[in-house]
């Protein structure tokens, strides 16, 4: 079991978090005009970086999204940063 650090709530059990996607993916625009293959690649193709990668996670308890930099081979969390700077 791992402990993840929500930038808004602090350390919590990993079961409170949900993986959203790799960070840095750019949505093809205009979405209604891109090909089905381009759209499928945007939704489903991942880089699956070996080593340090950036991922978007959601803390289910507070609902906030944040970026977690994590080593995918050791599962060690390197850094976390909020997607927005403060809560409303
Ligand atoms: Zn939180």
């Amino acid at each position: 079991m791992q402990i993840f650090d929500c930038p808004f709530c602090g350390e919590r059990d990993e079961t409170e978090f949900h993986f959203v996607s790799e960070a840095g993916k750019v949505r093809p625009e205009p979405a209604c005009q891109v090909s089905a293959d381009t759209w499928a690649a945007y939704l489903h193709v991942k880089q699956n970086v070996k080593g340090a990668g950036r991922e978007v996670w959601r803390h289910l308890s507070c609902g906030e999204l944040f970026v977690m930099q994590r080593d995918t081979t050791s599962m060690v969390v390197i850094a976390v940063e909020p997607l927005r700077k403060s809560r409303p």
Side-chain angles (χ1 to χ4, degrees), residues 6-10 12 17 59 61-64 87:
C6 172
F8 300 96
C9 305
R12 298 287 197 274
F17 296 85
H59 183 204
S61 298
C62 71
E64 293 287 347
R87 297 182 78 168

Side-chain angles (χ1 to χ4, degrees), residues 2-88:
Q2 282 192 278
I3 301 297
F4 289 160
D5 189 15
C6 172
F8 300 96
C9 305
E11 294 182 347
R12 298 287 197 274
D13 187 278
E14 67 179 298
T15 59
E16 293 187 23
F17 296 85
H18 179 75
F19 174 82
V20 176
S21 73
E22 290 180 336
K25 292 181 82 171
V26 178
R27 178 186 164 110
E29 297 287 353
C32 62
Q33 295 179 9
V34 300
S35 71
D37 287 345
T38 299
W39 190 249
Y42 165 69
L43 292 178
H44 304 293
V45 175
K46 300 181 174 35
Q47 293 182 356
N48 291 316
V49 174
K50 181 179 181 184
R54 291 171 46 85
E55 304 165 330
V56 177
W57 285 75
R58 177 184 299 276
H59 183 204
L60 300 175
S61 298
C62 71
E64 293 287 347
L65 295 166
F66 63 96
V67 174
M68 180 187 301
Q69 186 177 2
R70 185 170 67 109
D71 187 314
T72 57
T73 60
S74 66
M75 308 300 274
V76 171
V77 176
I78 300 165
V80 293
E81 61 185 271
L83 284 180
R84 59 188 176 90
K85 297 304 176 199
S86 63
R87 297 182 78 168

